[in-house]
Amino acid sequence: MAALFGRRMRRGAASTAVAAAAMAALSASGAPSAVSEQPAAAAADRPSAGAPGQEDPSITGDSPYYTELPELKGPGPNDPPDETPATGSAESGIPATVLDAYRKAEASLAASNPRCRVPWELLAAIGKVESGHARGGRLDTDGTTPSPILGPVLNGVGFANISDTDGGAYDGDTLHDRAVGPMQFIPQTWESWGRDGNGDGRRDPNNIYDAALAAGSYLCAHDRDLTVERDLHQAILGYNRSQEYLRTVLRWYDHYRKGAHEVPDGSQPAPGAPTGTGGTTPSPAPVRPGRPGTPSPSPTEPGKPDKPGDGSSSKPTPPPTTPPPTTPPPTTPPPTTPAPATRLVDLGDGELTAPAGERFADRPAVRAERPDKKPAAQAKVRFTVTGETGTTFEGGATTVTVTTKADGVAKAPALLAGGKPGGLTVKATLLGTTKPVTLGLRGEVTAPRADKLVRTDETGLTCEAGATFEGRVALTATRDGEAAPGVAATATVLAGADPADGEKATDKGPYFLTPGDEHAEDRRTRELTLTTDAKGNLLLPELHTDDTTGTFRLRVETTGGAVVVLELKVTEAA
């Protein structure tokens, strides 16, 4: 494969006019079309779905990109620009993990956004142009680059000017943003479009699965249908507003559609590595700045044209000579690496509380801070639940590890209260420090509750003085429509039929008997505490009467506020 990765483009904020004229320029250049042309009337009826406006940065901040094109079948000097590229060559190989990520992103988007119809070959074309398929497939076992792939500092010198938006969390630079990862997202765009493509609960721009799914989602913005040529071109221009970029991506897109195959991870040279180095060079060859839209000079390989179809001679081209600059080029200070986190701050308002068997309303949350008390991004915090209540995090785990974002906040998954009331502690431990840093967040599981209580027996509630009511009062407690076991309930005999008569237990009228065999007079009670059984049922003891006649109330209330009030009548003895 021709080692042409040194040929690159610099794009500045002033180049946004290219997006507006992209369609006319593309037609004039004779660039290959990656989709069938749609009828003009159909395209005109579609709503506008353009790239970001001139005031907005592109997804990459218009960072440099690789302008290598796939090799043509006939590399003669008079080949037209849209000559079909060769297939089955080494240029068609895509590292196994990277190819898997592109295909999984296509499948995920086909399910979540079937209208868009984003093909994996388009993601492969962009991945090739942005990072050479993550530097030739140099990824760890979960698809993450061993070290971040960073674009240039976006300080307005040759590129867009974007002040820091992530506190250095993704790019390590607290002054300006830099494009990050295999698909080259600038941090502020990643915050909006980042996705979890591998299901690990994180959105990492350095992970090929997360980055590929995020790129596909971004291309599908504005309700695009990528089988429509205009939508396809505008989606690509949203990535980098450059006609050359559009043409390069489309060339690779056509190339992969006509044939691509899997190769082992790390078996291809990394971008910028000379032939035969095995791809050990970790970063692209240096480039010289050029005006927006104008490629910088680059070396060519003997026997091949400088650019397909541009009429260049197949003979070796001597390198251009450049007079020494009269003024030194602008220098950019190296990015600063934020200090690591050294402390944790509890963000909770008080104790974590939930009834047994229910979800806690609040989630344990802490903020990791650096020595200057500023938020620490990318810090790892381990949360552990301790206690005898049976409480776990959602999913059943008692220990989880969370990575902080730019705000330094780590929030644990939701807690599910166990079935045993009591106290618990959620320990938050800051990992990666020389001295242990731990916070203990207190919590409590309260008694289970019920939100509804209904009577289920049909016995009469009228009795003669000095006798015993027939049958026993039965009730059922539920919570959210389900049986509520283990719920405490209080049954109280009140005087009179009107609530105005008071809610305090009476000292006359119907009564219960507490367990025991002797001194029945001492066992009388008009207030009793019970607990629902495993099915939420509550069966009250027998009710007896003394010689007081009249109307009384039986009030039964559960933890959680479910209430039933029944009227009791005691008549004269026959």
Side-chain angles (χ1 to χ4, degrees):
M1 181 170 65
L4 302 178
F5 282 105
R7 188 172 180 201
R8 311 197 38 197
M9 298 283 293
R10 284 182 181 249
R11 308 299 302 161
S15 66
T16 55
V18 175
M23 293 306 299
L26 180 65
S27 299
S29 68
S33 171
V35 294
S36 299
E37 184 68 33
Q38 301 297 312
D45 292 338
R46 291 185 46 76
S48 175
Q54 292 190 9
E55 72 281 0
D56 299 322
S58 67
I59 189 172
T60 65
D62 292 337
S63 293
Y65 52 87
Y66 303 110
T67 58
E68 178 190 20
L69 295 176
E71 186 176 356
L72 303 182
K73 280 183 177 179
N78 297 319
D79 286 340
D82 59 351
E83 178 70 32
T84 303
T87 60
S89 65
E91 290 181 320
S92 300
I94 300 177
T97 299
V98 183
L99 180 58
D100 183 56
Y102 296 151
R103 286 173 169 164
K104 286 184 176 176
E106 177 193 55
S108 176
L109 289 165
S112 63
N113 189 356
R115 171 183 170 79
C116 179
R117 292 180 281 191
V118 58
W120 70 262
E121 294 91 344
L122 177 59
L123 299 176
I126 291 176
K128 175 70 172 180
V129 173
E130 293 296 340
S131 68
H133 297 313
R135 294 175 174 167
R138 281 154 179 78
L139 307 165
D140 60 20
T141 54
D142 68 352
T144 303
T145 58
S147 60
I149 299 176
L150 299 176
V153 178
L154 299 176
N155 57 4
V157 181
F159 313 109
N161 187 359
I162 304 177
S163 298
D164 175 62
T165 61
D166 65 334
Y170 296 123
D171 54 18
D173 192 331
T174 57
L175 297 178
H176 294 90
D177 274 348
R178 305 175 70 175
V180 180
M183 305 302 273
Q184 290 289 280
F185 277 82
I186 55 176
Q188 65 175 343
T189 309
W190 182 260
E191 281 301 307
S192 300
W193 291 96
R195 298 292 185 267
D196 178 14
N198 60 356
D200 65 354
R202 297 181 58 204
R203 300 182 306 145
D204 184 359
N206 299 299
N207 181 275
I208 185 61
Y209 290 95
D210 294 359
L213 182 58
S217 301
Y218 186 91
L219 294 170
C220 290
H222 303 296
D223 197 31
R224 292 189 180 108
D225 177 356
L226 298 185
T227 62
V228 176
E229 185 166 296
R230 187 187 67 170
D231 281 6
L232 174 67
H233 293 175
Q234 290 175 332
I236 297 171
L237 287 170
Y239 228 95
N240 196 313
R241 292 182 294 265
S242 160
Q243 175 195 343
E244 181 75 7
Y245 183 85
L246 174 65
R247 191 178 73 85
T248 304
V249 169
L250 288 177
R251 173 73 78 180
W252 280 108
Y253 179 28
D254 272 345
H255 183 75
Y256 290 134
R257 290 177 72 211
K258 290 177 171 62
H261 61 276
E262 177 183 306
V263 297
D265 290 345
S267 63
Q268 294 180 318
T275 303
T277 64
T280 58
T281 303
S283 60
V287 297
R288 289 185 295 174
R291 291 186 301 170
T294 305
S296 301
S298 64
T300 58
E301 185 173 312
K304 293 196 177 183
D306 178 60
K307 192 160 70 172
D310 63 357
S312 300
S313 171
S314 60
K315 297 181 180 180
T317 302
T321 58
T322 304
T326 56
T327 57
T331 59
T332 301
T336 58
T337 301
T342 57
R343 64 193 296 261
L344 293 176
V345 177
D346 182 9
L347 299 182
D349 296 329
E351 281 198 346
L352 301 161
T353 305
E358 298 189 42
R359 183 191 303 269
F360 282 71
D362 297 320
R363 292 163 55 186
V366 297
R367 182 174 61 248
E369 293 184 347
R370 305 195 298 258
D372 57 4
K373 295 187 179 182
K374 291 184 178 181
Q378 299 297 304
K380 295 186 181 297
V381 179
R382 182 174 61 213
F383 292 94
T384 305
V385 183
T386 62
E388 303 298 326
T389 63
T391 299
T392 66
F393 293 110
E394 194 168 28
T398 57
T399 299
V400 296
T401 300
V402 179
T403 302
T404 62
K405 296 183 179 180
D407 58 3
V409 174
K411 185 173 288 189
L415 286 167
L416 299 179
K420 184 178 180 181
L424 60 91
T425 301
V426 179
K427 291 183 178 179
T429 303
L430 180 62
L431 304 180
T433 57
T434 55
K435 296 176 63 177
V437 178
T438 301
L439 277 182
L441 314 178
R442 299 294 301 170
E444 182 182 6
V445 175
T446 60
R449 65 179 182 88
D451 53 27
K452 189 174 183 180
L453 187 65
V454 295
R455 184 184 176 193
T456 55
D457 72 288
E458 297 181 356
T459 59
L461 297 179
T462 300
C463 182
E464 293 180 352
T468 300
F469 283 82
E470 293 184 3
R472 298 165 64 180
V473 174
L475 306 105
T476 297
T478 57
R479 179 179 63 247
D480 299 328
E482 302 290 338
V487 176
T490 302
T492 308
V493 178
L494 307 171
D498 192 333
D501 295 329
E503 299 296 321
K504 186 178 180 180
T506 181
D507 57 357
K508 296 180 180 180
Y511 60 86
F512 302 105
L513 285 177
T514 59
D517 297 328
E518 300 178 353
H519 309 294
E521 190 74 25
D522 297 335
R523 291 167 48 216
R524 292 183 181 184
T525 182
R526 292 179 174 86
E527 189 168 29
L528 199 64
T529 299
L530 305 165
T531 303
T532 60
D533 64 15
K535 296 183 178 180
N537 296 324
L538 198 66
L539 184 63
L540 274 57
E542 288 183 325
L543 271 169
H544 308 276
T545 65
D546 58 15
D547 56 2
T548 305
T549 61
T551 301
F552 301 86
R553 286 169 291 145
L554 175 62
R555 187 177 191 273
V556 184
E557 181 176 7
T558 69
T559 302
V563 178
V564 166
V565 179
L566 306 175
E567 187 175 88
L568 306 176
K569 290 186 178 181
V570 180
T571 62
E572 294 284 349

